[in-house]
Amino acid sequence: MKISGRMWRALLLVFLLLGAAAFVAVRGILPRVRAREILARETTYRAAPVVTVVHPKLSSPGEEIVLPGSIQAFVDAPIYARTSGYLKSWKFDIGARVKQGQILAEIESPEVDQQLQQAREDLDTAKANLKLAQITASRYSTLFQTDSVAKQDVDNAVQDAAAKQAIVKSAQANVGRMEQMVGFEKVVAPFDGVVTARNTDIGQLVEAGSSASAARELFHVADITKLRVFINVPQVYSHEAVPGVKASLTLPEEPQKQFQGTIVRTADAFDQATRTLLVEVDVVNTSGLLLPGAYAQVHFKVSSKAPALLIPPTALIFRAEGLRAATVAADHAVLLPVTLGRDFGTEVEVIDGLSSNSLVIVNPPDSLVNGEAVRIVSPSPPKQIEE
């Protein structure tokens, strides 16, 4: 069937109308689709957390370790009485500097004085008996040459003289012992030092004794010209704390002053409870500012074979699966398990889990999850305060 020209014109008109309608429809729909896609992308972008990142810092190969220490006198001794009696006088009070052999106090002990006098009289008696026995033995020996006495009598006289000689020696030893006891009435300083305690006064009854008995110590003397400082070094640094290593001390009340010392010995064994090594540092107390019993901080340097990484403590997230450090890779959050070393307050040491190229989130939100998209921004510079 032939299509007339009129029908062709009608069909063409229909196609034109349909094309125009489709053009109008496409022109109206495409911007909306495009706008919806842009809105979705913008919404996703705006919903991503904004984070600030930093690179981990390398710790220095040589680092300083600060440990608490206890100061003790190099020589320290309690002074007890070696003889009983009443305190007659004392010469030095607390804080006094004394020299070796100086008299600290005197004890009045009449019983000991009388015992010394008795021992001397017994010695005189023994000497008199010895002299008589020697004269008798000499006479018997002379008479025996003329057969005037028996051999037995001579032997008896000679051996009696020998016995009297032994008695004299015994009496001499007793006199020496009592003279020492009388000498103990004077309490003397055993070494150069300072009197740190005086626990007696004039007229008090003092008893001979020692630290193992119930007797009370009279004085306490300490040598503070050289001091011992004991510190407990953790096991991780124990191989660095060897004799000869230099150390310095600071006091809480004098933080700007340093006192130089040297490690002289270690216990060569770890404490089972604390896993620390007892180390002794000797310090020459030339200034006199260091006092026994004081607390001090001991500084000494150790070398690190592999420098550790330092990150802000705010970069750490505590989760049920363990400690994590928040990092960024390809604009997505990555929570890495890390192993920490020491805590320096403003920074923490990371032993394992990070590399120096990692981008660490400074202050990650608590809701951050692994793989979540994030936006990295640079921290704003601090504002200058106009004067």
Side-chain angles (χ1 to χ4, degrees), residues 161-206:
K164 294 296 192 300
Q165 180 69 42
I167 293 175
V168 169
K169 291 181 179 180
S170 176
Q172 288 175 340
N174 189 41
V175 170
R177 182 182 68 86
M178 294 309 303
E179 287 177 344
Q180 288 184 344
M181 293 299 295
V182 171
F184 288 145
E185 292 179 351
K186 292 180 172 60
V187 181
V188 300
F191 50 82
D192 296 353
V194 60
V195 178
T196 60
R198 177 179 64 84
N199 301 313
T200 187
D201 213 337
I202 296 175
Q204 287 188 352
L205 176 64
V206 295

Side-chain angles (χ1 to χ4, degrees), residues 95-329:
R97 263 61 176 179
V98 295
K99 296 293 184 180
Q100 182 179 5
Q102 276 190 307
I103 297 176
L104 302 178
E106 293 186 14
I107 299 173
E108 192 173 37
S109 182
E111 296 88 347
V112 177
D113 296 338
Q114 292 299 322
Q115 289 173 6
L116 173 60
Q117 182 63 31
Q118 181 181 355
R120 286 173 175 169
E121 297 298 336
D122 290 341
L123 176 60
D124 291 340
T125 301
K127 287 180 178 180
N129 293 333
L130 172 62
K131 186 176 182 179
L132 177 61
Q134 290 174 339
I135 293 173
T136 302
S138 177
R139 287 176 178 174
Y140 271 75
S141 298
T142 302
L143 293 175
F144 178 72
Q145 294 177 0
T146 58
D147 293 331
S148 300
V149 294
K151 175 65 174 174
Q152 183 64 41
D153 294 334
V154 175
D155 293 340
N156 289 340
V158 171
Q159 295 304 317
D160 182 62
K164 294 296 192 300
Q165 180 69 42
I167 293 175
V168 169
K169 291 181 179 180
S170 176
Q172 288 175 340
N174 189 41
V175 170
R177 182 182 68 86
M178 294 309 303
E179 287 177 344
Q180 288 184 344
M181 293 299 295
V182 171
F184 288 145
E185 292 179 351
K186 292 180 172 60
V187 181
V188 300
F191 50 82
D192 296 353
V194 60
V195 178
T196 60
R198 177 179 64 84
N199 301 313
T200 187
D201 213 337
I202 296 175
Q204 287 188 352
L205 176 64
V206 295
E207 296 181 358
S210 64
S211 57
S213 65
R216 181 177 56 184
E217 69 176 39
L218 304 182
F219 297 90
H220 207 103
V221 179
D223 181 7
I224 63 173
T225 56
K226 189 176 182 181
L227 299 173
R228 307 176 191 264
V229 183
F230 291 97
I231 56 176
N232 292 300
V233 178
Q235 182 175 347
V236 66
Y237 304 119
S238 60
H239 296 290
E240 300 286 345
V242 294
V245 173
K246 300 297 181 180
S248 60
L249 273 71
T250 57
L251 300 175
E253 65 274 18
E254 297 283 351
Q256 72 281 4
K257 295 184 179 179
Q258 288 192 346
F259 307 88
Q260 301 304 316
T262 306
I263 296 178
V264 293
R265 62 185 59 86
T266 68
D268 284 338
F270 289 104
D271 186 279
Q272 293 293 328
T274 61
R275 303 298 178 185
T276 56
L277 179 69
L278 184 63
V279 175
E280 178 186 333
V281 176
D282 284 358
V283 181
V284 178
N285 190 22
T286 54
S287 63
L289 294 177
L290 298 176
L291 300 178
Y295 165 84
Q297 290 183 323
V298 183
H299 306 248
F300 65 95
K301 295 186 180 297
V302 297
S303 58
S304 178
K305 297 180 180 178
L309 298 176
L310 302 176
I311 64 173
T314 56
L316 300 175
I317 298 178
F318 296 90
R319 296 290 169 83
E321 59 271 18
L323 185 66
R324 296 291 186 269
T327 63
V328 176

Side-chain angles (χ1 to χ4, degrees), residues 325-344:
T327 63
V328 176
D331 293 332
H332 287 78
V334 180
L335 304 183
L336 298 176
V338 293
T339 303
L340 298 185
R342 291 161 298 156
D343 187 350
F344 299 105

